[in-house]
C-alpha cells in the first residue's frame, strides 16, 4: 500500500508539473483586434508613420538658426527621421479657437502646436499625434475646463486613438508626450489604463508630462497622482515620468493665482513634482531651448529678426533652469541671462498671472527633452 501511495503521489506531481510547464503568464495586449471608426484611417492624425511626408506634420523642416551672444549665427540642419525602434504618442495642449466647448476634428492651430512641440522627437521615435475633440480656448476661459462631460469627450478621443495605436504597434515601446491639456489626458490614461495593465506598463518607456503639475506624497516617490509610476530620477530610468512647470526664478508660483494650480497642490499632504529635463538630479543648468520665431524673436532689432529664414531658433546661454521643490511647490525656476549690450533679445513675455512661462514650457527645454527621450529609449531597448 505504501508503494502504491508513493506511486500515485508521483503521478499527481508529474501531472501538475506538466500543467505548470504549459502555463503562459506573458502579459497580453489588452487591445488586440481593436478597431476605431475615428482613427483607423489617416484623416484624424497629424502624425503617423504611414502618412506621406507632405501631409505629416512631424516630417516638416526643423532647421534651426543658432544665434550666439555676439550676434553671429550658425545653421543647425533639420534632424533626420528614420524608422526608429520605439514610438512617441503625443497629445497637444489647448490650441483650438473653435467657439464650441469641444473642438471639431478640422486641424487648424493644432498643426502648428504639434509641429513646434512634438516634431523634434522624431529623431528618437516614430511619431503618432491624433487630432482630438479637445477642450477649446473658449471653454477654458469660460471656466469649463473641469466640466466632466466636456473633458470626457476629449479624453475619450485620446483613449480611442491610443487603443488603436497599441493594437497595431506589435509590442513596441512608447513614450507618452504631452503639454498642458495634453498632459492632463495622459495623466488620466496612465491612471486608468497603463497602471492597470502589465502589458501597457511594461511598454511605457517614459511619460513626458509637461506643463501640468503631477502630485507626489510628502516624503515618498510613488503615490498621489499615480499608484505605481515614479518620477524619473536618473537618465536611463524607464517606466517613469518627467514633469515640470516653468516659472521665472524671481516670480515663483503663488497659490490661488491660477485655477490650474501650476507648481503647487491644494493638499498639505502632497507636493508638486519637478524633474530637471537636462539632468534629472541637477541644479541650475543651461537649457537647450528651441523656439519658433513666433514664440521668441532672437534679436531686439526687428530688422534683424526679418533676416531669420529657418522655422526655429536657438539662443545658447540665454536660459537656465533649476528644479525647486519646497513648501509643497515644485517648478522649474527659469533664469533669463539677458544682456542689454549684445544684440539678442533680453527677455520673454509672460502670458497671465499665475501661469508662469507656461506657453514656453516645452520650448525652454526642447533639446534636452529629446536627448532624455533618447537615453530612456536606449535603456528600454537594452533591458
Amino acid at each position: 500500500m505504501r508503494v502504491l501511495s508513493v506511486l500515485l503521489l508521483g503521478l499527481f506531481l508529474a501531472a501538475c508539473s506538466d500543467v505548470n510547464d504549459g502555463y503562459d503568464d506573458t502579459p497580453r495586449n489588452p487591445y488586440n483586434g481593436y478597431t476605431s471608426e475615428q482613427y483607423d484611417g489617416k484623416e484624424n492624425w497629424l502624425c503617423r508613420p504611414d502618412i506621406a511626408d507632405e501631409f505629416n506634420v512631424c516630417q516638416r523642416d526643423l532647421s534651426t538658426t543658432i544665434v550666439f551672444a555676439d550676434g553671429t549665427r550658425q545653421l543647425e540642419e533639420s534632424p533626420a527621421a528614420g524608422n526608429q525602434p520605439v514610438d512617441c504618442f503625443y497629445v497637444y495642449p489647448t490650441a483650438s479657437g473653435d467657439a464650441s466647448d469641444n473642438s471639431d476634428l478640422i486641424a487648424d492651430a493644432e498643426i502648428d502646436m504639434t509641429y513646434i512641440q512634438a516634431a523634434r522627437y522624431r529623431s528618437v521615435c516614430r511619431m503618432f499625434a491624433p487630432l482630438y475633440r479637445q477642450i477649446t480656448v473658449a471653454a477654458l476661459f469660460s471656466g469649463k475646463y473641469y466640466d466632466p462631460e466636456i473633458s470626457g469627450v476629449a479624453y475619450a478621443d485620446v483613449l480611442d486613438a491610443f487603443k488603436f495605436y497599441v493594437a497595431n504597434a506589435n509590442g513596441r515601446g512608447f513614450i507618452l508626450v504631452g503639454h498642458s491639456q495634453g498632459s492632463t489626458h495622459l495623466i488620466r490614461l496612465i491612471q486608468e489604463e497603463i497602471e492597470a495593465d502589465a502589458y501597457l506598463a511594461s511598454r511605457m518607456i517614459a511619460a513626458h508630462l509637461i506643463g501640468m503639475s503631477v502630485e507626489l506624497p510628502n516624503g515618498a516617490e510613488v503615490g498621489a497622482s499615480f499608484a505605481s509610476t515614479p518620477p524619473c530620477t536618473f537618465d536611463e530610468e524607464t517606466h517613469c515620468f518627467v514633469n515640470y512647470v516653468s516659472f521665472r526664478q524671481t516670480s515663483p508660483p503663488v497659490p490661488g493665482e491660477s485655477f490650474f494650480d501650476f507648481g503647487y497642490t491644494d493638499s498639505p499632504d502632497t507636493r508638486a513634482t519637478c524633474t530637471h529635463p537636462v539632468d534629472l538630479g541637477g541644479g541650475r543648468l543651461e537649457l537647450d531651448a528651441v523656439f519658433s520665431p513666433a514664440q521668441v524673436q532672437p534679436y531686439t532689432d526687428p530688422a534683424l529678426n526679418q533676416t531669420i529664414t529657418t522655422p526655429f531658433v536657438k539662443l545658447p546661454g540665454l536660459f537656465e533652469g533649476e528644479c525647486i521643490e519646497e513648501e509643497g511647490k515644485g517648478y522649474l525656476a527659469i533664469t533669463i541671462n539677458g544682456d542689454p549690450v549684445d544684440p539678442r533679445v533680453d527677455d520673454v513675455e509672460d502670458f497671465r498671472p499665475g501661469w508662469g512661462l507656461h506657453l514656453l514650457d516645452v520650448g525652454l527645454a526642447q533639446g534636452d527633452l529629446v536627448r532624455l527621450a533618447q537615453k530612456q529609449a536606449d535603456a528600454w531597448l537594452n533591458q
Side-chain angles (χ1 to χ4, degrees):
M1 178 65 72
R2 179 178 176 83
V3 173
L4 179 60
S5 298
V6 171
L7 178 61
L8 291 174
L9 178 61
L11 291 172
F12 174 77
L13 292 175
C16 289
S17 176
D18 290 340
V19 172
N20 289 336
D21 287 346
Y23 178 69
D24 183 4
D25 61 353
T26 304
R28 304 290 184 182
N29 187 335
Y31 311 136
N32 189 37
Y34 183 84
T35 60
S36 167
E37 181 177 346
Q38 189 159 287
Y39 293 108
D40 278 1
K42 304 174 186 178
E43 63 273 11
N44 290 323
W45 292 87
L46 296 169
C47 306
R48 206 171 83 171
D50 59 346
I51 298 176
D53 287 358
E54 62 267 31
F55 302 108
N56 190 328
V57 174
C58 293
Q59 294 296 332
R60 291 184 171 186
D61 178 24
L62 297 177
S63 59
T64 303
T65 299
I66 304 173
V67 181
F68 297 97
D70 62 1
T72 59
R73 305 180 189 179
Q74 179 179 320
L75 176 65
E76 183 177 273
E77 299 288 350
S78 187
N83 185 21
Q84 310 298 0
V86 301
D87 300 331
C88 284
F89 185 88
Y90 167 77
V91 185
Y92 50 80
T94 307
S96 174
D98 294 348
S100 53
D101 291 334
N102 287 103
S103 67
D104 56 30
L105 289 172
I106 300 173
D108 189 11
E110 298 90 341
I111 294 174
D112 285 344
M113 194 64 72
T114 300
Y115 175 42
I116 290 170
Q117 291 193 344
R120 205 161 288 265
Y121 277 89
R122 77 188 189 200
S123 63
V124 179
C125 318
R126 294 191 313 171
M127 296 301 303
F128 292 80
L131 273 169
Y132 70 103
R133 290 171 293 177
Q134 72 164 194
I135 306 163
T136 61
V137 173
L140 187 158
F141 286 114
S142 64
K144 297 179 180 179
Y145 187 84
Y146 292 110
D147 182 294
E149 183 175 348
I150 298 169
S151 62
V153 170
Y155 175 70
D157 281 359
V158 172
L159 178 59
D160 187 15
F162 179 72
K163 286 183 174 180
F164 172 81
Y165 157 70
V166 172
N168 296 279
N170 297 318
R172 292 165 60 95
F174 58 84
I175 299 173
L176 300 178
V177 180
H179 178 242
S180 195
Q181 181 178 164
S183 291
T184 297
H185 299 312
L186 291 177
I187 288 168
R188 182 175 174 184
L189 185 76
I190 294 170
Q191 292 168 333
E192 298 183 4
E193 301 291 323
I194 292 173
E195 290 193 327
D197 187 272
Y199 179 92
L200 299 177
S202 68
R203 283 156 180 79
M204 189 188 81
I205 298 169
H208 290 192
L209 308 171
I210 312 304
M212 195 63 73
S213 294
V214 175
E215 297 184 19
L216 287 171
N218 292 331
E221 294 300 299
V222 175
S225 291
F226 298 130
S228 58
T229 306
C232 300
T233 55
F234 58 92
D235 290 352
E236 290 78 25
E237 186 175 5
T238 58
H239 314 301
C240 56
F241 70 87
V242 176
N243 176 247
Y244 65 84
V245 297
S246 54
F247 281 79
R248 294 175 185 273
Q249 187 272 332
T250 54
S251 184
V254 177
E257 279 196 339
S258 167
F259 58 87
F260 284 117
D261 297 346
F262 292 129
Y264 60 90
T265 76
D266 287 331
S267 170
D269 298 323
T270 62
R271 71 189 197 275
T273 310
C274 180
T275 50
H276 203 302
V278 180
D279 182 341
L280 293 169
R284 180 169 159 177
L285 300 169
E286 181 179 341
L287 299 172
D288 186 10
V290 185
F291 299 110
S292 159
Q295 294 176 296
V296 175
Q297 293 279 293
Y299 293 105
T300 56
D301 183 350
L304 286 175
N305 288 324
Q306 293 299 315
T307 65
I308 299 293
T309 59
T310 58
F312 292 93
V313 295
K314 286 187 178 185
L315 301 163
L318 188 60
F319 300 97
E320 294 178 330
E322 179 180 10
C323 267
I324 303 295
E325 290 190 1
E326 60 184 17
E327 300 176 349
K329 297 178 182 178
Y331 60 99
L332 188 65
I334 303 298
T335 299
I336 304 174
N337 299 315
D339 183 352
V341 175
D342 73 37
R344 298 194 309 181
V345 66
D346 297 316
D347 206 350
V348 295
E349 292 186 9
D350 292 342
F351 178 53
R352 294 171 65 90
W355 288 56
L357 297 172
H358 183 70
L359 299 187
L360 301 179
D361 281 330
V362 175
L364 282 165
Q366 177 85 93
D368 303 302
L369 289 167
V370 172
R371 271 189 292 275
L372 177 57
Q374 184 67 70
K375 293 176 184 177
Q376 292 170 325
D378 291 343
W380 185 84
L381 290 166
N382 290 325
Q383 286 178 351

